[in-house]
Amino acid sequence: MKHYPFILFYIFCNVFIYAFQGTFWVYLFCFLMFFAVIIWGSFDVGLNYFVSSFNHKRTKIREVALTFDDGPTEYTPQFLDLLKENNIKATFFCIGKQIEKYPETFQRIIAEGHTVGNHTFSHADNTGFLSTSKMIEEIEKCDEMMLKTGNLKTSLYRPPFGVTNPNIARAIRKTHKKSIGWNVRSLDTVIQDENKISHNITKKLKKGSIILLHDTSEKTYKVLADLLVFLKDKKYSTFTIDNILTAKETKDF
């Protein structure tokens, strides 16, 4: 977490400016810069500003992780069919209320050997404004649904929208989760053109990339189909998050 050292640095800068009789505009500029860094750190999980997240794998071979957020949904079985056809395992960060809505699909994800992570119970739009206790409730309620529906426990957690802050950081610590980010964001929930989404992924792809996708639309299903062809042509293999974190605990990557 880089937040608290940065606060100390900010205070030091203010003391330094005060000692040399800085003007109001200098103080205002420093405050705006400080505020901008806080906002940036909150919305970019890859910065590890509030929470230390696993965002990519250090590796010398061509391998990537396929991760899917916000499921299970009515589209998830199509994704599972495609992954099964290509003998690929992925990581699904599931929402508790979606598990409740599609229990059979969640059970199938587990049965077919994919990794599962916690993506909170409701994936609320105001996640970034929730208290620590409410965030803990969101995480634990999703854990309970996973255990009830799939007899599964997971230490993996992905922050909704990639948003982190001190409350979320405390909730992650108190629930003993490992925060999982990404370094390739498909933007498949924003971009409508499938070709643009595919290009957005492949142009950023490198060894050890963690790719963020969503098993929530026919559009992304088609993107996945094209991506699997691309990975095969470029001789990329895949890894799941649980396997790499287990390995990381036993040796330094």
PDB file of all heavy atoms in Angstrom, residues 20 41-43 59 63 74 82 88 92 111 161 166 173 182 191 203 205:
ATOM      1  N   PHE A  20       9.075  28.223   3.709  1.00  0.00           N
ATOM      2  CA  PHE A  20       9.575  29.197   2.740  1.00  0.00           C
ATOM      3  C   PHE A  20       8.477  30.164   2.277  1.00  0.00           C
ATOM      4  O   PHE A  20       8.571  30.782   1.224  1.00  0.00           O
ATOM      5  CB  PHE A  20      10.200  28.474   1.539  1.00  0.00           C
ATOM      6  CG  PHE A  20      11.518  27.842   1.849  1.00  0.00           C
ATOM      7  CD1 PHE A  20      11.576  26.536   2.314  1.00  0.00           C
ATOM      8  CD2 PHE A  20      12.695  28.560   1.732  1.00  0.00           C
ATOM      9  CE1 PHE A  20      12.794  25.946   2.612  1.00  0.00           C
ATOM     10  CE2 PHE A  20      13.918  27.976   2.033  1.00  0.00           C
ATOM     11  CZ  PHE A  20      13.978  26.656   2.483  1.00  0.00           C
ATOM     12  N   GLY A  41      -5.328   6.582  -7.767  1.00  0.00           N
ATOM     13  CA  GLY A  41      -5.019   5.370  -7.005  1.00  0.00           C
ATOM     14  C   GLY A  41      -6.238   4.552  -6.676  1.00  0.00           C
ATOM     15  O   GLY A  41      -6.183   3.324  -6.602  1.00  0.00           O
ATOM     16  N   SER A  42      -7.384   5.222  -6.517  1.00  0.00           N
ATOM     17  CA  SER A  42      -8.632   4.520  -6.185  1.00  0.00           C
ATOM     18  C   SER A  42      -9.165   3.717  -7.357  1.00  0.00           C
ATOM     19  O   SER A  42      -9.744   2.639  -7.179  1.00  0.00           O
ATOM     20  CB  SER A  42      -9.700   5.528  -5.734  1.00  0.00           C
ATOM     21  OG  SER A  42      -9.309   6.179  -4.551  1.00  0.00           O
ATOM     22  N   PHE A  43      -9.001   4.252  -8.569  1.00  0.00           N
ATOM     23  CA  PHE A  43      -9.639   3.643  -9.739  1.00  0.00           C
ATOM     24  C   PHE A  43      -8.696   2.799 -10.599  1.00  0.00           C
ATOM     25  O   PHE A  43      -9.155   2.185 -11.560  1.00  0.00           O
ATOM     26  CB  PHE A  43     -10.288   4.730 -10.597  1.00  0.00           C
ATOM     27  CG  PHE A  43     -11.571   5.250 -10.017  1.00  0.00           C
ATOM     28  CD1 PHE A  43     -11.561   6.347  -9.170  1.00  0.00           C
ATOM     29  CD2 PHE A  43     -12.771   4.629 -10.300  1.00  0.00           C
ATOM     30  CE1 PHE A  43     -12.742   6.825  -8.610  1.00  0.00           C
ATOM     31  CE2 PHE A  43     -13.955   5.099  -9.745  1.00  0.00           C
ATOM     32  CZ  PHE A  43     -13.944   6.194  -8.907  1.00  0.00           C
ATOM     33  N   THR A  59       7.001 -14.173 -15.784  1.00  0.00           N
ATOM     34  CA  THR A  59       7.320 -15.422 -16.469  1.00  0.00           C
ATOM     35  C   THR A  59       8.099 -15.137 -17.744  1.00  0.00           C
ATOM     36  O   THR A  59       7.994 -14.044 -18.313  1.00  0.00           O
ATOM     37  CB  THR A  59       6.032 -16.197 -16.810  1.00  0.00           C
ATOM     38  OG1 THR A  59       6.356 -17.403 -17.496  1.00  0.00           O
ATOM     39  CG2 THR A  59       5.110 -15.361 -17.678  1.00  0.00           C
ATOM     40  N   GLU A  63       2.437 -17.213 -21.735  1.00  0.00           N
ATOM     41  CA  GLU A  63       1.257 -17.712 -21.042  1.00  0.00           C
ATOM     42  C   GLU A  63       0.456 -16.539 -20.490  1.00  0.00           C
ATOM     43  O   GLU A  63       1.021 -15.517 -20.106  1.00  0.00           O
ATOM     44  CB  GLU A  63       1.630 -18.686 -19.923  1.00  0.00           C
ATOM     45  CG  GLU A  63       2.603 -18.123 -18.907  1.00  0.00           C
ATOM     46  CD  GLU A  63       2.950 -19.126 -17.824  1.00  0.00           C
ATOM     47  OE1 GLU A  63       2.189 -20.106 -17.659  1.00  0.00           O
ATOM     48  OE2 GLU A  63       3.968 -18.922 -17.140  1.00  0.00           O
ATOM     49  N   GLU A  74     -26.718 -15.927 -18.051  1.00  0.00           N
ATOM     50  CA  GLU A  74     -27.316 -16.800 -19.060  1.00  0.00           C
ATOM     51  C   GLU A  74     -26.334 -17.131 -20.172  1.00  0.00           C
ATOM     52  O   GLU A  74     -26.512 -18.119 -20.898  1.00  0.00           O
ATOM     53  CB  GLU A  74     -28.550 -16.119 -19.658  1.00  0.00           C
ATOM     54  CG  GLU A  74     -28.236 -14.783 -20.349  1.00  0.00           C
ATOM     55  CD  GLU A  74     -29.467 -14.075 -20.866  1.00  0.00           C
ATOM     56  OE1 GLU A  74     -30.165 -14.653 -21.718  1.00  0.00           O
ATOM     57  OE2 GLU A  74     -29.730 -12.950 -20.389  1.00  0.00           O
ATOM     58  N   LEU A  82     -17.095 -23.332 -24.898  1.00  0.00           N
ATOM     59  CA  LEU A  82     -15.955 -22.943 -25.723  1.00  0.00           C
ATOM     60  C   LEU A  82     -14.638 -23.273 -25.030  1.00  0.00           C
ATOM     61  O   LEU A  82     -13.692 -23.779 -25.661  1.00  0.00           O
ATOM     62  CB  LEU A  82     -16.030 -21.447 -26.043  1.00  0.00           C
ATOM     63  CG  LEU A  82     -14.982 -20.877 -27.001  1.00  0.00           C
ATOM     64  CD1 LEU A  82     -15.020 -21.613 -28.343  1.00  0.00           C
ATOM     65  CD2 LEU A  82     -15.223 -19.385 -27.208  1.00  0.00           C
ATOM     66  N   ILE A  88      -9.224 -25.474 -22.011  1.00  0.00           N
ATOM     67  CA  ILE A  88      -8.637 -24.327 -21.308  1.00  0.00           C
ATOM     68  C   ILE A  88      -9.383 -24.080 -19.993  1.00  0.00           C
ATOM     69  O   ILE A  88     -10.607 -24.116 -19.945  1.00  0.00           O
ATOM     70  CB  ILE A  88      -8.690 -23.062 -22.192  1.00  0.00           C
ATOM     71  CG1 ILE A  88      -7.682 -23.194 -23.338  1.00  0.00           C
ATOM     72  CG2 ILE A  88      -8.410 -21.794 -21.378  1.00  0.00           C
ATOM     73  CD1 ILE A  88      -7.714 -22.048 -24.311  1.00  0.00           C
ATOM     74  N   PHE A  92     -13.066 -17.439 -12.809  1.00  0.00           N
ATOM     75  CA  PHE A  92     -14.335 -16.723 -12.804  1.00  0.00           C
ATOM     76  C   PHE A  92     -14.520 -16.015 -11.457  1.00  0.00           C
ATOM     77  O   PHE A  92     -14.558 -16.653 -10.407  1.00  0.00           O
ATOM     78  CB  PHE A  92     -15.500 -17.685 -13.034  1.00  0.00           C
ATOM     79  CG  PHE A  92     -15.585 -18.236 -14.429  1.00  0.00           C
ATOM     80  CD1 PHE A  92     -14.792 -19.309 -14.815  1.00  0.00           C
ATOM     81  CD2 PHE A  92     -16.444 -17.673 -15.370  1.00  0.00           C
ATOM     82  CE1 PHE A  92     -14.857 -19.822 -16.109  1.00  0.00           C
ATOM     83  CE2 PHE A  92     -16.529 -18.178 -16.666  1.00  0.00           C
ATOM     84  CZ  PHE A  92     -15.723 -19.250 -17.041  1.00  0.00           C
ATOM     85  N   ALA A 111     -17.254 -27.830 -11.348  1.00  0.00           N
ATOM     86  CA  ALA A 111     -17.124 -29.221 -11.802  1.00  0.00           C
ATOM     87  C   ALA A 111     -16.151 -29.361 -12.968  1.00  0.00           C
ATOM     88  O   ALA A 111     -15.474 -30.388 -13.104  1.00  0.00           O
ATOM     89  CB  ALA A 111     -18.494 -29.771 -12.190  1.00  0.00           C
ATOM     90  N   PHE A 161     -15.217  -3.066 -10.285  1.00  0.00           N
ATOM     91  CA  PHE A 161     -14.747  -1.887 -11.026  1.00  0.00           C
ATOM     92  C   PHE A 161     -13.253  -1.632 -10.830  1.00  0.00           C
ATOM     93  O   PHE A 161     -12.718  -0.645 -11.321  1.00  0.00           O
ATOM     94  CB  PHE A 161     -15.521  -0.622 -10.632  1.00  0.00           C
ATOM     95  CG  PHE A 161     -17.004  -0.792 -10.586  1.00  0.00           C
ATOM     96  CD1 PHE A 161     -17.687  -0.796  -9.381  1.00  0.00           C
ATOM     97  CD2 PHE A 161     -17.733  -0.968 -11.751  1.00  0.00           C
ATOM     98  CE1 PHE A 161     -19.067  -0.959  -9.338  1.00  0.00           C
ATOM     99  CE2 PHE A 161     -19.103  -1.131 -11.718  1.00  0.00           C
ATOM    100  CZ  PHE A 161     -19.776  -1.127 -10.508  1.00  0.00           C
ATOM    101  N   PRO A 166      -9.154   2.914   1.465  1.00  0.00           N
ATOM    102  CA  PRO A 166      -8.807   2.376   2.792  1.00  0.00           C
ATOM    103  C   PRO A 166      -9.854   1.429   3.373  1.00  0.00           C
ATOM    104  O   PRO A 166      -9.506   0.429   4.012  1.00  0.00           O
ATOM    105  CB  PRO A 166      -8.664   3.645   3.648  1.00  0.00           C
ATOM    106  CG  PRO A 166      -8.203   4.678   2.675  1.00  0.00           C
ATOM    107  CD  PRO A 166      -8.968   4.380   1.410  1.00  0.00           C
ATOM    108  N   ARG A 173      -8.261  -7.303   4.209  1.00  0.00           N
ATOM    109  CA  ARG A 173      -7.407  -7.864   5.272  1.00  0.00           C
ATOM    110  C   ARG A 173      -8.231  -8.657   6.276  1.00  0.00           C
ATOM    111  O   ARG A 173      -7.843  -9.768   6.661  1.00  0.00           O
ATOM    112  CB  ARG A 173      -6.649  -6.745   5.990  1.00  0.00           C
ATOM    113  CG  ARG A 173      -5.535  -6.118   5.177  1.00  0.00           C
ATOM    114  CD  ARG A 173      -4.586  -5.330   6.081  1.00  0.00           C
ATOM    115  NE  ARG A 173      -5.291  -4.301   6.840  1.00  0.00           N
ATOM    116  CZ  ARG A 173      -5.490  -3.067   6.405  1.00  0.00           C
ATOM    117  NH1 ARG A 173      -5.057  -2.715   5.196  1.00  0.00           N
ATOM    118  NH2 ARG A 173      -6.105  -2.178   7.154  1.00  0.00           N
ATOM    119  N   TRP A 182      -5.514  -6.974 -12.819  1.00  0.00           N
ATOM    120  CA  TRP A 182      -5.272  -7.357 -14.216  1.00  0.00           C
ATOM    121  C   TRP A 182      -4.282  -6.360 -14.811  1.00  0.00           C
ATOM    122  O   TRP A 182      -4.028  -5.304 -14.238  1.00  0.00           O
ATOM    123  CB  TRP A 182      -6.584  -7.306 -15.011  1.00  0.00           C
ATOM    124  CG  TRP A 182      -7.237  -5.952 -14.955  1.00  0.00           C
ATOM    125  CD1 TRP A 182      -6.909  -4.851 -15.692  1.00  0.00           C
ATOM    126  CD2 TRP A 182      -8.284  -5.532 -14.072  1.00  0.00           C
ATOM    127  NE1 TRP A 182      -7.694  -3.776 -15.349  1.00  0.00           N
ATOM    128  CE2 TRP A 182      -8.553  -4.166 -14.345  1.00  0.00           C
ATOM    129  CE3 TRP A 182      -9.025  -6.180 -13.086  1.00  0.00           C
ATOM    130  CZ2 TRP A 182      -9.517  -3.454 -13.660  1.00  0.00           C
ATOM    131  CZ3 TRP A 182      -9.997  -5.468 -12.396  1.00  0.00           C
ATOM    132  CH2 TRP A 182     -10.233  -4.121 -12.691  1.00  0.00           C
ATOM    133  N   ILE A 191     -16.979  -0.927 -24.938  1.00  0.00           N
ATOM    134  CA  ILE A 191     -16.850  -0.922 -26.404  1.00  0.00           C
ATOM    135  C   ILE A 191     -17.861  -1.890 -27.013  1.00  0.00           C
ATOM    136  O   ILE A 191     -18.030  -3.017 -26.527  1.00  0.00           O
ATOM    137  CB  ILE A 191     -15.420  -1.312 -26.820  1.00  0.00           C
ATOM    138  CG1 ILE A 191     -14.404  -0.327 -26.223  1.00  0.00           C
ATOM    139  CG2 ILE A 191     -15.296  -1.346 -28.339  1.00  0.00           C
ATOM    140  CD1 ILE A 191     -12.954  -0.739 -26.439  1.00  0.00           C
ATOM    141  N   LYS A 203      -3.195  -6.000 -28.508  1.00  0.00           N
ATOM    142  CA  LYS A 203      -2.115  -5.010 -28.589  1.00  0.00           C
ATOM    143  C   LYS A 203      -1.407  -4.834 -27.244  1.00  0.00           C
ATOM    144  O   LYS A 203      -0.257  -4.383 -27.187  1.00  0.00           O
ATOM    145  CB  LYS A 203      -2.660  -3.660 -29.068  1.00  0.00           C
ATOM    146  CG  LYS A 203      -3.504  -2.923 -28.043  1.00  0.00           C
ATOM    147  CD  LYS A 203      -3.953  -1.563 -28.568  1.00  0.00           C
ATOM    148  CE  LYS A 203      -4.784  -0.812 -27.531  1.00  0.00           C
ATOM    149  NZ  LYS A 203      -5.245   0.508 -28.023  1.00  0.00           N
ATOM    150  N   LEU A 205      -1.171  -7.440 -24.977  1.00  0.00           N
ATOM    151  CA  LEU A 205      -0.816  -8.760 -24.478  1.00  0.00           C
ATOM    152  C   LEU A 205       0.689  -8.963 -24.384  1.00  0.00           C
ATOM    153  O   LEU A 205       1.430  -8.583 -25.286  1.00  0.00           O
ATOM    154  CB  LEU A 205      -1.415  -9.827 -25.407  1.00  0.00           C
ATOM    155  CG  LEU A 205      -1.776 -11.177 -24.780  1.00  0.00           C
ATOM    156  CD1 LEU A 205      -2.819 -10.989 -23.699  1.00  0.00           C
ATOM    157  CD2 LEU A 205      -2.284 -12.121 -25.860  1.00  0.00           C
TER     158      LEU A 205
END
